[in-house]
Amino acid sequence: QLQASGGGLVQAGGSLRLSCAASGFTFDGYAIGWFRQAPGKEREGVSCINSSDGSTYYADSVKGRFTISSDNAKNTVYLQMNSLKPEDTAVYYCAVQEGPCGSPGGMDYWGKGTQVTVSS
């Protein structure tokens, strides 16, 4: 089971840290991704981290503002979001897939989302 948390309401320019905690399994051998879906828009990938080597990937829209990291001891992945913009407003989801980020077949497990709202 995956549980995303940490969303909330923040003013533009502010920061939030999202957490994705796994229970019942460990992240070993998985890629962990963050996705978001804004009202009326398709879901988009935001960031991904490979548990095998810690390599990270970001969507162009969040590069330089968001940082993904993992705490293996806590079996938790974080998404630090800085310099938030109103266009970052969305429901954020974490998900995992076996193998590295971008492996064919898509994500295997999804957590429930957490709402992020950025006011202008």
Side-chain angles (χ1 to χ4, degrees), residues 30-33 47-51 55-57 97-104:
Y30 285 93
I32 305 94
S47 183
C48 187
I49 185 168
N50 285 318
S51 63
S55 54
T56 59
Y57 302 88
Q97 66 175 152
E98 289 192 60
C101 295
S103 296

Side-chain angles (χ1 to χ4, degrees), residues 34-52:
W34 284 99
F35 298 78
R36 67 186 181 186
Q37 188 166 21
K41 294 188 177 181
E42 292 187 355
R43 185 174 60 202
E44 63 171 338
V46 174
S47 183
C48 187
I49 185 168
N50 285 318
S51 63
S52 58

Side-chain angles (χ1 to χ4, degrees), residues 14-100:
S15 299
L16 284 173
R17 189 178 78 159
L18 305 184
S19 298
C20 176
S23 58
F25 71 103
T26 69
F27 286 137
D28 290 345
Y30 285 93
I32 305 94
W34 284 99
F35 298 78
R36 67 186 181 186
Q37 188 166 21
K41 294 188 177 181
E42 292 187 355
R43 185 174 60 202
E44 63 171 338
V46 174
S47 183
C48 187
I49 185 168
N50 285 318
S51 63
S52 58
D53 61 5
S55 54
T56 59
Y57 302 88
Y58 298 94
D60 288 342
S61 58
V62 306
K63 278 181 182 176
R65 300 188 298 121
F66 290 10
T67 303
I68 191 170
S69 62
S70 64
D71 185 332
N72 292 335
K74 295 183 178 180
N75 213 28
T76 300
V77 168
Y78 302 100
L79 185 69
Q80 178 67 45
M81 307 186 296
N82 298 329
S83 302
L84 283 162
K85 304 175 181 180
E87 50 264 45
D88 294 318
T89 295
V91 178
Y92 284 70
Y93 301 87
C94 62
V96 297
Q97 66 175 152
E98 289 192 60

Side-chain angles (χ1 to χ4, degrees), residues 8-16 82-86 117-120:
L9 173 64
V10 64
Q11 289 188 331
S15 299
L16 284 173
N82 298 329
S83 302
L84 283 162
K85 304 175 181 180
T117 303
V118 184
S119 63
S120 57

